[in-house]
Amino acid sequence: MPASRSKSRTDAERNRARVLEVARELFAELGDQVQMAEVAKAADVGIGTVYRHFPTRQALVEAAAQHRFAEILDFARERCLAAPDPGVGLDLLLTGIGEVLAKDRGLSGAIESAMGSAEPSGDSRTALEGLAGTLLDRGRAAGSVRDDATVTDVYMIVCGLAAVIRTGSGDWRRFVRLALDALRPGRPSSPTG
Amino acid sequence: MPASRSKSRTDAERNRARVLEVARELFAELGDQVQMAEVAKAADVGIGTVYRHFPTRQALVEAAAQHRFAEILDFARERCLAAPDPGVGLDLLLTGIGEVLAKDRGLSGAIESAMGSAEPSGDSRTALEGLAGTLLDRGRAAGSVRDDATVTDVYMIVCGLAAVIRTGSGDWRRFVRLALDALRPGRPSSPTG
Amino acid sequence: MPASRSKSRTDAERNRARVLEVARELFAELGDQVQMAEVAKAADVGIGTVYRHFPTRQALVEAAAQHRFAEILDFARERCLAAPDPGVGLDLLLTGIGEVLAKDRGLSGAIESAMGSAEPSGDSRTALEGLAGTLLDRGRAAGSVRDDATVTDVYMIVCGLAAVIRTGSGDWRRFVRLALDALRPGRPSSPTG
Amino acid sequence: MPASRSKSRTDAERNRARVLEVARELFAELGDQVQMAEVAKAADVGIGTVYRHFPTRQALVEAAAQHRFAEILDFARERCLAAPDPGVGLDLLLTGIGEVLAKDRGLSGAIESAMGSAEPSGDSRTALEGLAGTLLDRGRAAGSVRDDATVTDVYMIVCGLAAVIRTGSGDWRRFVRLALDALRPGRPSSPTG
DNA sequence: GATGAATGAGCATTCATTCAT
DNA sequence: CATGAATGAATGCTCATTCAT
């Protein structure tokens, strides 16, 4: 019965997608301390199903964050790459990220860790890499970005931004502006560098 | 006989101090999810004693972080204020903080939250305030710090720094250098500012 | 396959029932300070299972008491309503209750509180209400119960009876007899009434 | 130094009295779940002092209840024995007890247990015994109390009354009236007696 | 594949009681 | 005698994960 087989596969996919979607919503609303059972219930599946698709709580959190971050980047890509002035690309990127993080209580934590140790496949760092690289290159060419800027700088800045937003330690838009200034060409980085 | 009285009090103080010290070590080593029982055991006191001095797990975590952060600042104060060149003060401060955070896995999280919502008394933000303010003033006077820099900027930077270190998203010394560049006078903050 | 579904449900029901049964036994034997872990162990289930069915210790205590009290009333109902002489109905009821309470150390406390503030649904007071009302009516008709007797009088008497039995302050059968005399028609209640 | 000796003794007495007084107040206000440390603090003594005078929590609870109950009885004695009509003596006694219990959240429990197992010396049952005996005798002589009434009947009634008040299972004044009716001479106690 | 009942280690916190000073 | 810091067993409850159906 290939039909039933493929039907099941489709159902399974649907379940996975629904779980992921629900998880993203709950994490956004309640932060990442949401319980697995809550996710299952909200997705209207059994808790076992959640575990079938995401072997671990951590896996679900990461998958949700990854998915969300990919969304962010897709959106940012459109705006940034379409920007006439390459100088504003990074601004748009960081501001875009900030806006999403500011609305999503659970996301910041996940993004911060995602900026950390790179995992084998499909991770958020990698997703960011291409876009950030392009923007840095363009900025450099346009003279609006310092020569020694790297994507890792952007990782760190995004990580810091997420923390600033999560803890509310200040106005994150100011933080973004400071970060852009830091990446601008000017006098060389401090002499100790 | 105040002696006998003060002897007990002294012992209690000693216990409190030992608990705090042990807690700091454990938090540094294992992160801040260490259990109260572990702390008690490591401090060689009953768990009740821990609770006598710190009514809540959270209270202990905060006290430990506060204590540690105070240490950092004391040390930083010496070096920073003694620095002949006011331009290096902030560098010394941030680098000093970074070095401690880099050694203390559990501290970063605590510092990050401390940079968030200010609490009434004795909090880490306040501790940082005086020193950061002084350094910013001096730097401004010496022309090495931009005019619009505020202590809140420093809070955000420290918060970001802690996150960068905690997650290992890049070379934190580079992050510090970028931050210093951001605080340097130069072209005005981005036009949107 | 509703069978497999209902099999699980049946098992769960069985577990719930076993927990309740074990709880009743332990409460009867040891009083209602029995720990949740003891109940779980005696029921041979994990402690989580106990909590799945009874979200709170208090919930378990109440459920156990309710269940027991319902048993009492079922039994009493048979005997009381079947009694040829309506005059002995209340006697059978109170004596029946007393006999069970006398055997069950943990039950008295629960019954006493159940006689207090009425809760929305399924509570012991309500369970008692119908039977007591019927018996009072019959007794009144037969001239063996005073006109102004109410079910609340019975609540209070049951509550007092439970306390007498729990504390062993005297021969509870005597207390029942006194209570019956109090409910008998005779000279009017004290003039202040 | 006999002076210092006797001075200490006096102080100790004072402490004991203060602890007892404070305990009665706290039990009345908060119920008998008050902690030993609270009592010590409110009495402005060390917790060790509380334990010196009352070796056990239970001992303190009982002592407090005893003391309170003695007060009640002293007061009741005045009124009851002074009553011109012996028929109202018991009424005054039970109503007096009820009024105090109704005001004192922590007392009921203690009184109930006091009505239980008689302890060697100075207990509440004994305190009640003389007065209740006298009132029963007078009532019997006056024909307002049934011949077979005993002080144990009164113990049970007081115990029941305390439970009724504690749980709020009904109007305790009604309970008192029912109790008095039960003790009145009339048709013989139920035939099973 | 899906379900959800069961699991049970883990955890923060309480409080009567002891005992060195 | 008074003190109060120390004790630590006890307790109610949580939740990620497993597995029989």
Side-chain angles (χ1 to χ4, degrees), chain D residues 39-54:
Chain D
V39 175
K41 193 174 180 186
D44 203 45
V45 299
I47 193 173
T49 302
V50 176
Y51 273 92
R52 165 167 299 276
H53 294 298
F54 306 94

Side-chain angles (χ1 to χ4, degrees), chain B residues 15 45-46 48-49 52-53:
Chain B
N15 269 339
V45 298
T49 302
R52 161 173 289 269
H53 294 298

Side-chain angles (χ1 to χ4, degrees), chain D residues 113-136:
Chain D
S113 22
M115 291 302 102
S117 58
E119 297 200 6
S121 68
D123 90 328
S124 304
R125 254 175 109 137
T126 311
L128 180 57
E129 193 173 291
L131 183 51
T134 303
L135 292 174
L136 287 177

Side-chain angles (χ1 to χ4, degrees), chain C residues 116-189:
Chain C
S117 60
E119 298 198 8
S121 69
D123 94 325
S124 304
R125 250 175 112 137
T126 310
L128 181 56
E129 194 173 290
L131 184 52
T134 304
L135 293 174
L136 288 176
D137 285 343
R138 290 194 185 177
R140 250 189 305 258
S144 62
V145 166
R146 59 200 284 175
D147 280 348
D148 67 343
T150 68
V151 288
T152 301
D153 291 345
V154 179
Y155 295 159
M156 290 194 289
I157 287 166
V158 169
C159 175
L161 175 60
V164 165
I165 290 171
R166 176 170 49 79
T167 64
S169 59
D171 172 11
W172 67 264
R173 289 178 192 274
R174 165 76 176 170
F175 185 85
V176 168
R177 255 175 279 131
L178 289 174
L180 293 171
D181 289 341
L183 292 176
R184 234 182 284 281
R187 78 207 80 262
S189 172

Side-chain angles (χ1 to χ4, degrees), chain C residues 112 153 166 174 185 187, chain D residues 112 153 166 174 185 187:
Chain C
E112 285 167 51
D153 291 345
R166 176 170 49 79
R174 165 76 176 170
R187 78 207 80 262
Chain D
E112 285 167 52
D153 292 345
R166 177 170 50 78
R174 166 77 177 171
R187 80 207 82 260

Side-chain angles (χ1 to χ4, degrees), chain C residues 35-36 47 51 57:
Chain C
Q35 295 159 229
M36 293 302 263
I47 192 172
Y51 275 95
R57 206 193 104 86

Side-chain angles (χ1 to χ4, degrees), chain A residues 32-49:
Chain A
D32 71 357
Q33 23 62 296
V34 176
Q35 295 158 227
M36 295 301 264
E38 283 180 67
V39 175
K41 193 175 182 187
D44 203 45
V45 299
I47 193 173
T49 303

